[in-house]
Amino acid sequence: GQQLNQSPQSMFIQEGEDVSMNCTSSSIFNTWLWYKQDPGEGPVLLIALYKAGELTSNGRLTAQFGITRKDSFLNISASIPSDVGIYFCAGQRTGNQFYFGTGTSLTVIP
Amino acid sequence: NAGVTQTPKFQVLKTGQSMTLQCAQDMNHEYMSWYRQDPGMGLRLIHYSVGAGITDQGEVPNGYNVSRSTTEDFPLRLLSAAPSQTSVYFCASRRLASTDTQYFGPGTRLTVL
């Protein structure tokens, strides 16, 4: 099956630092999504991207749809303790299937 | 408006036992789906449905059955549980016309001994 590779696998940062993570695929996607999952909860959508090159922000979060359509990036500025969690990318080609990345675990040290 | 609900939250089964994971949504969403989440694997699609009476296989359907008799409910059945099915299972729903806002349930943590 289709696998999206996310990196880094985990991050430990100081509160106030900026965070960058990315997601790559061997296939082209038409939609890229970024989710956050808190412990014991289901994923929650953060940002959706629909066009190659698109740059979209949601508060301190900014995500970009890569020009090649095979990658996407998520940045978090000025991290705070509640940013802790696992961040997943997801891609959709056509139809009703989304393919999820392997996740980036973020720990913010106060 | 409860969103997407799943029961049970935790379950332990013995190999060969059967059980049904329940999923319900009260948002009148046409599309519902089941994922499993394993360490280092992300979420993988098991089965999905685009409306009552319509189901289709996802990426990892073997060992699981689904049915969709109503818009609200989408149960996942394990007919003969295996240790390889130990995982966390998430149900999700969204409007069929929307490609983005997929709402996830809180998950069911299943252990098969």
Side-chain angles (χ1 to χ4, degrees), chain A residues 1-3 31 33 35 37 40-43 45 48 50 88 92 95-102, chain B residues 9 31 35 37 40-43 45 48 50 57-59 90 94 96 99-102 104-106:
Chain A
Q2 176 69 50
Q3 284 285 306
T31 300
L33 309 172
Y35 287 85
Q37 184 178 25
E41 303 289 332
L45 182 69
Y50 301 105
F88 289 99
Q92 182 195 33
N96 289 302
Q97 291 204 27
F98 289 88
Y99 298 92
F100 280 78
T102 47
Chain B
K9 197 160 179 65
Y31 181 92
Y35 292 86
Q37 184 176 35
M41 297 291 289
L43 285 91
L45 182 65
Y48 66 94
V50 297
Q57 296 181 349
E59 192 181 351
F90 288 100
R94 63 174 170 84
L96 196 57
T99 57
D100 55 358
T101 310
Q102 185 163 222
F104 283 84

